[in-house]
Amino acid sequence: MRFATAARPSTADMLVVRSVEDARREIAAARARGEEIALVPTMGALHAGHLSLVQTACEECDFVAVSIFVNPSQFGPNEDFDKYPRAFEADLQACRECGVNLVFAPDVSTIYPDTFSTFVELEGLSDVLEGRCRPGHFRGVATVVLKLLNIVQPDVSYFGRKDYQQQAIIRRMCRDLDMPGEIRTCDTVRELDGLALSSRNRYLSDDERIAALSLSKCLKLAKQRLTAGETDVELVRREMLALLNKTRGVAVDYATIADPDSLADITAPQLEMIALVAAKVGRARLIDNLPIHLPADR
Ligand code: PAF
């Protein structure tokens, strides 16, 4: 890992660009200065989870680009694209305060001009969990992320572990398509009571927020049971579901324990596992996950 050598820009110096040409020109100039380029792709409505990615990028790289683009192609027809939170001015201010160099905020027509007709599909990894619940979601994510990576051509790009399947898919896409650049995955940021930060948490009423804690609780339960030596993975899955189902206002999509690479459900404990959950709480569809590691010498 290289440590940032360029001084972070003063807040007044952050550039906000809307066109691919402007973004490429600024990034080419940074590259010509020998700076290491980072990209943090976001859909805006930045919370402390996003900002921890941005801060890490600012600590680790010389020139940090943040993209803000609510990507229509990753929302299904009955999902919350129109209502997805947008807070552009506050996002810019937060980026400035972190020392971001460039915000790339394209219009939909810049990313998807009328003639647009090329999409990225990943077989297998995209078909389970979120992919099964949200058909077409990962096709939209992979397509926009590939475009952003091609536009910015970062040395390093940053993704959050909260979207575990998303970062796994992006890693696979980059490997399959020989994309240069490193993907770094940063830990989930949680409230003190365990709720994973999400832009959709703002849809929750006070009661729904309490109900939403059942997601992180069921993941912790799975981790406790498996690290304490439980070998019946199916039983642990049933216990996760029971905890969620007894919580009023929670409609479960899935709660499972999977292999961290293939995301296939596992039938017996293994050294590395991932517990994953998705549920609707009020009008917010929330996801969360927790890596589980068993010591090799047990
Ligand atoms: O995680 C997100 O915010 C989005 O899925 C991403 C990676 C910015 C692509 O639109």
Side-chain angles (χ1 to χ4, degrees):
M1 185 189 299
R2 238 182 72 190
F3 286 95
T5 49
R8 302 251 50 92
S10 77
T11 53
D13 290 342
M14 187 181 82
L15 290 163
V16 181
V17 298
R18 297 214 170 254
S19 75
V20 173
E21 295 70 30
D22 287 350
R24 284 208 164 127
R25 193 189 49 251
E26 297 303 330
I27 291 158
R31 192 166 289 114
R33 295 192 295 268
E35 295 180 3
E36 192 177 34
I37 313 291
L39 171 65
V40 185
T42 81
M43 296 205 298
L46 303 180
H47 51 63
H50 297 112
L51 296 179
S52 80
L53 299 179
V54 174
Q55 278 151 2
T56 306
C58 288
E59 280 158 28
E60 295 180 347
C61 296
D62 304 310
F63 184 95
V64 176
V66 172
S67 61
I68 298 182
F69 179 64
V70 186
N71 173 34
S73 73
Q74 70 188 76
F75 289 79
N78 299 317
E79 293 185 354
D80 55 348
F81 173 69
D82 288 332
K83 298 210 171 72
Y84 193 82
R86 287 159 173 90
F88 193 60
E89 290 307 323
D91 290 346
L92 293 185
Q93 188 52 29
C95 287
R96 271 191 202 99
E97 282 165 15
C98 289
V100 167
N101 300 80
L102 177 116
V103 169
F104 176 49
D107 291 330
V108 172
S109 59
T110 300
I111 296 295
Y112 300 113
D114 286 345
T115 52
F116 189 85
S117 55
T118 305
F119 288 87
V120 182
E121 301 241 21
L122 278 92
E123 294 174 359
L125 262 189
S126 285
D127 302 330
V128 296
L129 302 168
E130 285 305 282
R132 185 169 297 152
C133 298
R134 304 181 66 188
H137 171 66
F138 287 123
R139 178 184 193 254
V141 170
T143 302
V144 81
V145 171
L146 185 67
K147 284 191 64 115
L148 293 168
L149 292 175
N150 279 332
I151 293 165
V152 175
Q153 301 185 4
D155 298 293
V156 188
S157 48
Y158 291 81
F159 294 87
R161 187 166 285 113
K162 210 225 359 124
D163 294 297
Y164 187 87
Q165 189 174 8
Q166 168 173 282
Q167 62 81 44
I169 282 172
I170 289 163
R171 283 176 182 279
R172 178 73 62 84
M173 172 184 78
C174 289
R175 207 181 321 141
D176 287 353
L177 299 181
D178 302 305
M179 296 291 292
E182 188 191 331
I183 309 285
R184 288 190 194 148
T185 303
C186 301
D187 283 343
T188 303
V189 179
R190 296 179 182 281
E191 306 270 11
L192 286 178
D193 57 10
L195 185 70
L197 296 196
S198 162
S199 304
R200 291 186 170 102
N201 288 353
R202 65 187 76 189
Y203 298 151
L204 298 169
S205 67
D206 289 351
D207 285 349
E208 288 164 353
R209 197 192 166 290
I210 292 169
L213 292 176
S214 59
L215 275 78
S216 56
K217 281 187 189 153
C218 90
L219 298 172
K220 269 193 229 145
L221 171 77
K223 183 170 178 172
Q224 272 158 9
R225 298 282 283 122
L226 290 163
T227 51
E230 178 56 61
T231 55
D232 186 342
V233 175
E234 196 44 50
L235 171 68
V236 178
R237 255 185 218 114
R238 284 201 300 274
E239 290 172 358
M240 293 168 78
L241 280 170
L243 189 155
L244 293 161
N245 286 332
K246 76 169 193 218
T247 312
R248 263 180 67 144
V250 173
V252 187
D253 276 339
Y254 59 80
T256 194
I257 302 150
D259 177 88
D261 296 323
S262 69
L263 294 182
D265 276 358
I266 55 169
T267 51
Q270 52 188 52
L271 293 185
E272 302 297 338
M273 300 171 270
I274 181 99
L276 305 116
V277 62
K280 206 147 185 241
V281 186
R283 66 186 186 91
R285 187 172 178 285
L286 303 177
I287 58 174
D288 198 358
N289 67 80
L290 197 62
I292 304 174
H293 167 77
L294 299 185
D297 56 352
R298 56 199 277 148

